[in-house]
mmCIF file of all heavy atoms in Angstrom:
data_model
loop_
_atom_site.group_PDB
_atom_site.id
_atom_site.type_symbol
_atom_site.label_atom_id
_atom_site.label_comp_id
_atom_site.label_asym_id
_atom_site.label_seq_id
_atom_site.Cartn_x
_atom_site.Cartn_y
_atom_site.Cartn_z
ATOM 1 N N SER A 3 24.107 -78.373 57.200
ATOM 2 C CA SER A 3 25.082 -79.393 57.596
ATOM 3 C C SER A 3 24.975 -80.592 56.717
ATOM 4 O O SER A 3 26.023 -81.160 56.329
ATOM 5 C CB SER A 3 24.831 -79.820 59.044
ATOM 6 O OG SER A 3 24.947 -78.744 59.879
ATOM 7 N N ASP A 6 26.887 -80.083 53.749
ATOM 8 C CA ASP A 6 28.293 -80.232 54.020
ATOM 9 C C ASP A 6 28.671 -81.733 54.065
ATOM 10 O O ASP A 6 29.715 -82.146 53.567
ATOM 11 C CB ASP A 6 28.683 -79.525 55.315
ATOM 12 C CG ASP A 6 28.564 -78.020 55.180
ATOM 13 O OD1 ASP A 6 28.635 -77.571 54.045
ATOM 14 O OD2 ASP A 6 28.371 -77.349 56.193
ATOM 15 N N PRO A 118 56.644 -90.433 59.112
ATOM 16 C CA PRO A 118 55.799 -89.756 58.086
ATOM 17 C C PRO A 118 56.536 -88.568 57.511
ATOM 18 O O PRO A 118 57.356 -87.938 58.214
ATOM 19 C CB PRO A 118 54.558 -89.384 58.821
ATOM 20 C CG PRO A 118 54.866 -89.417 60.265
ATOM 21 C CD PRO A 118 56.012 -90.393 60.428
ATOM 22 N N THR A 136 34.908 -75.529 52.390
ATOM 23 C CA THR A 136 35.592 -75.050 51.210
ATOM 24 C C THR A 136 36.205 -76.239 50.466
ATOM 25 O O THR A 136 36.438 -77.297 51.059
ATOM 26 C CB THR A 136 36.751 -74.084 51.572
ATOM 27 O OG1 THR A 136 37.681 -74.801 52.364
ATOM 28 C CG2 THR A 136 36.243 -72.895 52.306
ATOM 29 N N ASN A 212 48.984 -83.666 52.777
ATOM 30 C CA ASN A 212 50.353 -83.215 53.073
ATOM 31 C C ASN A 212 51.060 -84.216 53.958
ATOM 32 O O ASN A 212 51.874 -83.853 54.814
ATOM 33 C CB ASN A 212 50.302 -81.842 53.780
ATOM 34 C CG ASN A 212 51.698 -81.244 53.904
ATOM 35 O OD1 ASN A 212 52.493 -81.378 53.006
ATOM 36 N ND2 ASN A 212 52.008 -80.598 55.030
ATOM 37 N N ASP A 215 53.046 -91.876 54.697
ATOM 38 C CA ASP A 215 53.788 -92.748 55.546
ATOM 39 C C ASP A 215 53.574 -94.194 55.128
ATOM 40 O O ASP A 215 52.677 -94.469 54.303
ATOM 41 C CB ASP A 215 53.414 -92.589 57.038
ATOM 42 C CG ASP A 215 51.986 -92.884 57.326
ATOM 43 O OD1 ASP A 215 51.572 -94.009 57.046
ATOM 44 O OD2 ASP A 215 51.257 -91.987 57.737
ATOM 45 N N SER A 253 30.261 -90.612 55.495
ATOM 46 C CA SER A 253 30.043 -89.288 55.939
ATOM 47 C C SER A 253 28.724 -89.151 56.684
ATOM 48 O O SER A 253 28.637 -88.557 57.789
ATOM 49 C CB SER A 253 30.041 -88.313 54.764
ATOM 50 O OG SER A 253 30.031 -86.987 55.205
ATOM 51 N N VAL A 256 29.035 -90.795 60.115
ATOM 52 C CA VAL A 256 29.651 -89.919 61.068
ATOM 53 C C VAL A 256 28.596 -88.891 61.559
ATOM 54 O O VAL A 256 28.478 -88.584 62.729
ATOM 55 C CB VAL A 256 30.860 -89.190 60.446
ATOM 56 C CG1 VAL A 256 31.355 -88.062 61.360
ATOM 57 C CG2 VAL A 256 31.982 -90.177 60.163
ATOM 58 N N ALA A 257 27.812 -88.379 60.602
ATOM 59 C CA ALA A 257 26.844 -87.314 60.918
ATOM 60 C C ALA A 257 25.841 -87.821 61.971
ATOM 61 O O ALA A 257 25.534 -87.131 62.924
ATOM 62 C CB ALA A 257 26.096 -86.879 59.667
ATOM 63 N N THR A 261 32.067 -90.176 64.948
ATOM 64 C CA THR A 261 33.259 -90.569 64.220
ATOM 65 C C THR A 261 33.651 -92.012 64.403
ATOM 66 O O THR A 261 34.109 -92.634 63.436
ATOM 67 C CB THR A 261 34.435 -89.652 64.607
ATOM 68 O OG1 THR A 261 33.968 -88.322 64.536
ATOM 69 C CG2 THR A 261 35.623 -89.838 63.717
ATOM 70 N N ASN A 338 52.829 -120.217 70.127
ATOM 71 C CA ASN A 338 52.238 -119.352 69.140
ATOM 72 C C ASN A 338 51.877 -120.146 67.884
ATOM 73 O O ASN A 338 50.821 -119.895 67.270
ATOM 74 C CB ASN A 338 53.211 -118.220 68.785
ATOM 75 C CG ASN A 338 53.340 -117.184 69.867
ATOM 76 O OD1 ASN A 338 52.514 -117.178 70.805
ATOM 77 N ND2 ASN A 338 54.304 -116.350 69.793
ATOM 78 N N GLU A 434 30.912 -100.504 74.366
ATOM 79 C CA GLU A 434 31.760 -100.379 75.549
ATOM 80 C C GLU A 434 31.207 -101.050 76.781
ATOM 81 O O GLU A 434 31.941 -101.502 77.627
ATOM 82 C CB GLU A 434 32.003 -98.884 75.828
ATOM 83 C CG GLU A 434 32.838 -98.296 74.750
ATOM 84 C CD GLU A 434 33.375 -96.941 75.141
ATOM 85 O OE1 GLU A 434 33.196 -96.548 76.311
ATOM 86 O OE2 GLU A 434 33.920 -96.263 74.273
ATOM 87 N N SER A 444 41.762 -106.224 81.031
ATOM 88 C CA SER A 444 43.032 -106.624 81.609
ATOM 89 C C SER A 444 42.762 -107.531 82.822
ATOM 90 O O SER A 444 41.618 -107.665 83.251
ATOM 91 C CB SER A 444 43.808 -105.374 82.014
ATOM 92 O OG SER A 444 43.025 -104.601 82.935
ATOM 93 N N THR A 539 44.027 -106.607 69.360
ATOM 94 C CA THR A 539 44.793 -107.877 69.529
ATOM 95 C C THR A 539 44.588 -108.799 68.331
ATOM 96 O O THR A 539 45.539 -109.477 67.895
ATOM 97 C CB THR A 539 44.418 -108.560 70.826
ATOM 98 O OG1 THR A 539 44.478 -107.567 71.890
ATOM 99 C CG2 THR A 539 45.310 -109.673 71.178
ATOM 100 N N ARG A 578 65.095 -113.014 62.825
ATOM 101 C CA ARG A 578 65.264 -111.939 63.790
ATOM 102 C C ARG A 578 66.628 -111.316 63.672
ATOM 103 O O ARG A 578 66.799 -110.106 63.874
ATOM 104 C CB ARG A 578 65.097 -112.500 65.174
ATOM 105 C CG ARG A 578 64.008 -111.834 65.867
ATOM 106 C CD ARG A 578 63.678 -112.371 67.184
ATOM 107 N NE ARG A 578 62.237 -112.334 67.287
ATOM 108 C CZ ARG A 578 61.496 -111.227 67.199
ATOM 109 N NH1 ARG A 578 62.081 -110.059 67.096
ATOM 110 N NH2 ARG A 578 60.193 -111.303 67.256
ATOM 111 N N ARG A 584 63.807 -108.280 58.405
ATOM 112 C CA ARG A 584 63.265 -109.630 58.503
ATOM 113 C C ARG A 584 61.928 -109.776 57.752
ATOM 114 O O ARG A 584 61.678 -110.790 57.166
ATOM 115 C CB ARG A 584 63.153 -110.063 59.950
ATOM 116 C CG ARG A 584 62.049 -109.408 60.716
ATOM 117 C CD ARG A 584 62.238 -109.692 62.200
ATOM 118 N NE ARG A 584 61.151 -109.059 62.927
ATOM 119 C CZ ARG A 584 60.139 -109.723 63.454
ATOM 120 N NH1 ARG A 584 60.022 -110.987 63.339
ATOM 121 N NH2 ARG A 584 59.214 -109.029 64.062
ATOM 122 N N ASP D 81 62.532 -106.714 67.501
ATOM 123 C CA ASP D 81 61.347 -106.142 66.823
ATOM 124 C C ASP D 81 60.112 -106.986 67.165
ATOM 125 O O ASP D 81 60.056 -108.161 66.882
ATOM 126 C CB ASP D 81 61.616 -106.147 65.342
ATOM 127 C CG ASP D 81 60.403 -105.744 64.548
ATOM 128 O OD1 ASP D 81 59.525 -105.007 65.083
ATOM 129 O OD2 ASP D 81 60.265 -106.149 63.357
ATOM 130 N N ARG D 87 51.651 -111.475 69.999
ATOM 131 C CA ARG D 87 52.212 -112.820 69.771
ATOM 132 C C ARG D 87 53.726 -112.803 69.753
ATOM 133 O O ARG D 87 54.374 -113.657 70.211
ATOM 134 C CB ARG D 87 51.681 -113.367 68.422
ATOM 135 C CG ARG D 87 50.320 -113.891 68.494
ATOM 136 C CD ARG D 87 49.587 -113.749 67.178
ATOM 137 N NE ARG D 87 49.105 -112.421 67.063
ATOM 138 C CZ ARG D 87 47.859 -112.017 67.394
ATOM 139 N NH1 ARG D 87 47.011 -112.895 67.851
ATOM 140 N NH2 ARG D 87 47.483 -110.761 67.260
ATOM 141 N N GLN D 88 54.301 -111.697 69.164
ATOM 142 C CA GLN D 88 55.755 -111.667 69.089
ATOM 143 C C GLN D 88 56.315 -111.100 70.405
ATOM 144 O O GLN D 88 57.407 -111.522 70.799
ATOM 145 C CB GLN D 88 56.133 -110.742 67.930
ATOM 146 C CG GLN D 88 55.647 -111.364 66.626
ATOM 147 C CD GLN D 88 56.142 -110.626 65.419
ATOM 148 O OE1 GLN D 88 57.315 -110.251 65.299
ATOM 149 N NE2 GLN D 88 55.247 -110.294 64.471
ATOM 150 N N HIS D 135 48.599 -96.961 79.984
ATOM 151 C CA HIS D 135 47.387 -97.730 80.354
ATOM 152 C C HIS D 135 47.363 -97.791 81.894
ATOM 153 O O HIS D 135 48.302 -98.254 82.519
ATOM 154 C CB HIS D 135 47.395 -99.112 79.771
ATOM 155 C CG HIS D 135 46.035 -99.774 79.822
ATOM 156 N ND1 HIS D 135 45.493 -100.181 80.966
ATOM 157 C CD2 HIS D 135 45.178 -100.097 78.804
ATOM 158 C CE1 HIS D 135 44.324 -100.744 80.736
ATOM 159 N NE2 HIS D 135 44.082 -100.681 79.432
ATOM 160 N N ASP D 137 46.235 -99.823 83.915
ATOM 161 C CA ASP D 137 46.448 -101.131 84.510
ATOM 162 C C ASP D 137 47.841 -101.693 84.268
ATOM 163 O O ASP D 137 48.126 -102.776 84.732
ATOM 164 C CB ASP D 137 45.400 -102.144 83.970
ATOM 165 C CG ASP D 137 44.016 -101.816 84.453
ATOM 166 O OD1 ASP D 137 43.886 -101.033 85.448
ATOM 167 O OD2 ASP D 137 43.058 -102.303 83.874
ATOM 168 N N ARG D 183 41.398 -92.785 75.152
ATOM 169 C CA ARG D 183 40.173 -92.845 75.901
ATOM 170 C C ARG D 183 40.431 -92.427 77.346
ATOM 171 O O ARG D 183 39.666 -91.618 77.947
ATOM 172 C CB ARG D 183 39.674 -94.265 75.893
ATOM 173 C CG ARG D 183 38.315 -94.499 75.368
ATOM 174 C CD ARG D 183 37.480 -93.317 75.272
ATOM 175 N NE ARG D 183 36.561 -93.312 76.366
ATOM 176 C CZ ARG D 183 35.544 -94.141 76.484
ATOM 177 N NH1 ARG D 183 35.299 -95.064 75.513
ATOM 178 N NH2 ARG D 183 34.774 -94.103 77.498
ATOM 179 N N GLU D 204 34.727 -86.640 70.188
ATOM 180 C CA GLU D 204 34.725 -87.537 69.006
ATOM 181 C C GLU D 204 35.964 -88.403 69.048
ATOM 182 O O GLU D 204 37.097 -87.880 69.134
ATOM 183 C CB GLU D 204 34.759 -86.715 67.740
ATOM 184 C CG GLU D 204 33.476 -85.979 67.389
ATOM 185 C CD GLU D 204 32.324 -86.829 67.015
ATOM 186 O OE1 GLU D 204 32.570 -87.879 66.379
ATOM 187 O OE2 GLU D 204 31.181 -86.528 67.357
ATOM 188 N N ARG D 211 42.180 -90.737 58.156
ATOM 189 C CA ARG D 211 42.896 -89.688 57.452
ATOM 190 C C ARG D 211 41.995 -88.431 57.247
ATOM 191 O O ARG D 211 42.446 -87.348 57.036
ATOM 192 C CB ARG D 211 43.308 -90.159 56.041
ATOM 193 C CG ARG D 211 44.538 -91.026 56.073
ATOM 194 C CD ARG D 211 45.712 -90.207 56.352
ATOM 195 N NE ARG D 211 46.816 -91.009 56.792
ATOM 196 C CZ ARG D 211 47.883 -91.270 56.074
ATOM 197 N NH1 ARG D 211 47.975 -90.756 54.879
ATOM 198 N NH2 ARG D 211 48.850 -92.009 56.545
ATOM 199 N N ASP D 212 40.717 -88.731 57.127
ATOM 200 C CA ASP D 212 39.804 -87.713 56.717
ATOM 201 C C ASP D 212 38.893 -87.267 57.851
ATOM 202 O O ASP D 212 38.178 -88.100 58.406
ATOM 203 C CB ASP D 212 38.963 -88.203 55.567
ATOM 204 C CG ASP D 212 38.152 -87.106 54.986
ATOM 205 O OD1 ASP D 212 37.029 -86.846 55.518
ATOM 206 O OD2 ASP D 212 38.613 -86.450 54.065
ATOM 207 N N SER D 215 34.036 -84.667 57.918
ATOM 208 C CA SER D 215 32.676 -84.823 58.456
ATOM 209 C C SER D 215 32.682 -84.698 59.992
ATOM 210 O O SER D 215 31.760 -84.159 60.550
ATOM 211 C CB SER D 215 32.161 -86.174 58.040
ATOM 212 O OG SER D 215 32.018 -86.198 56.635
ATOM 213 N N ARG D 219 30.566 -81.959 62.536
ATOM 214 C CA ARG D 219 29.898 -82.188 63.841
ATOM 215 C C ARG D 219 30.436 -81.222 64.884
ATOM 216 O O ARG D 219 29.673 -80.673 65.683
ATOM 217 C CB ARG D 219 30.213 -83.622 64.315
ATOM 218 C CG ARG D 219 29.266 -84.651 63.795
ATOM 219 C CD ARG D 219 29.720 -86.030 64.293
ATOM 220 N NE ARG D 219 29.222 -86.314 65.666
ATOM 221 C CZ ARG D 219 28.085 -86.902 65.879
ATOM 222 N NH1 ARG D 219 27.278 -87.299 64.851
ATOM 223 N NH2 ARG D 219 27.667 -87.154 67.095
ATOM 224 N N ARG D 221 31.742 -78.283 64.303
ATOM 225 C CA ARG D 221 31.229 -76.937 63.997
ATOM 226 C C ARG D 221 29.804 -76.739 64.507
ATOM 227 O O ARG D 221 29.463 -75.750 65.143
ATOM 228 C CB ARG D 221 31.276 -76.726 62.482
ATOM 229 C CG ARG D 221 30.913 -75.309 62.067
ATOM 230 C CD ARG D 221 30.603 -75.260 60.587
ATOM 231 N NE ARG D 221 29.351 -75.982 60.300
ATOM 232 C CZ ARG D 221 28.973 -76.315 59.102
ATOM 233 N NH1 ARG D 221 29.720 -76.080 58.047
ATOM 234 N NH2 ARG D 221 27.823 -76.975 58.938
ATOM 235 N N ASP D 222 28.974 -77.763 64.295
ATOM 236 C CA ASP D 222 27.593 -77.693 64.706
ATOM 237 C C ASP D 222 27.439 -77.633 66.238
ATOM 238 O O ASP D 222 26.411 -77.128 66.722
ATOM 239 C CB ASP D 222 26.770 -78.857 64.153
ATOM 240 C CG ASP D 222 26.595 -78.739 62.626
ATOM 241 O OD1 ASP D 222 27.007 -77.678 62.093
ATOM 242 O OD2 ASP D 222 26.120 -79.651 61.993
ATOM 243 N N GLN D 246 40.990 -75.715 56.816
ATOM 244 C CA GLN D 246 40.509 -75.754 55.439
ATOM 245 C C GLN D 246 38.949 -75.609 55.403
ATOM 246 O O GLN D 246 38.450 -74.992 54.493
ATOM 247 C CB GLN D 246 40.909 -77.074 54.732
ATOM 248 C CG GLN D 246 42.273 -77.040 54.137
ATOM 249 C CD GLN D 246 42.686 -78.399 53.575
ATOM 250 O OE1 GLN D 246 41.891 -79.315 53.531
ATOM 251 N NE2 GLN D 246 43.937 -78.471 53.076
ATOM 252 N N LYS D 263 57.883 -82.914 63.463
ATOM 253 C CA LYS D 263 57.047 -83.422 62.406
ATOM 254 C C LYS D 263 55.665 -82.759 62.396
ATOM 255 O O LYS D 263 55.044 -82.661 61.336
ATOM 256 C CB LYS D 263 56.867 -84.932 62.580
ATOM 257 C CG LYS D 263 58.099 -85.759 62.189
ATOM 258 C CD LYS D 263 58.116 -85.945 60.666
ATOM 259 C CE LYS D 263 59.414 -86.620 60.232
ATOM 260 N NZ LYS D 263 59.633 -86.458 58.818
ATOM 261 N N LEU D 267 54.295 -81.437 58.997
ATOM 262 C CA LEU D 267 53.084 -81.985 58.386
ATOM 263 C C LEU D 267 51.931 -81.013 58.406
ATOM 264 O O LEU D 267 51.069 -81.017 57.529
ATOM 265 C CB LEU D 267 52.701 -83.278 59.116
ATOM 266 C CG LEU D 267 53.702 -84.417 59.123
ATOM 267 C CD1 LEU D 267 53.258 -85.563 59.997
ATOM 268 C CD2 LEU D 267 53.916 -84.896 57.708
#
Side-chain angles (χ1 to χ4, degrees):
Chain A
S3 300
D6 293 336
T136 61
N212 189 38
D215 62 61
S253 188
V256 171
T261 309
N338 287 346
E434 293 193 8
S444 58
T539 310
R578 240 174 220 300
R584 73 192 179 106
Chain D
D81 173 26
R87 282 150 279 267
Q88 300 186 45
H135 195 292
D137 291 344
R183 238 346 257 289
E204 290 289 326
R211 282 287 162 107
D212 187 273
S215 295
R219 274 179 85 90
R221 186 195 68 195
D222 290 353
Q246 278 177 2
K263 283 279 174 196
L267 300 174

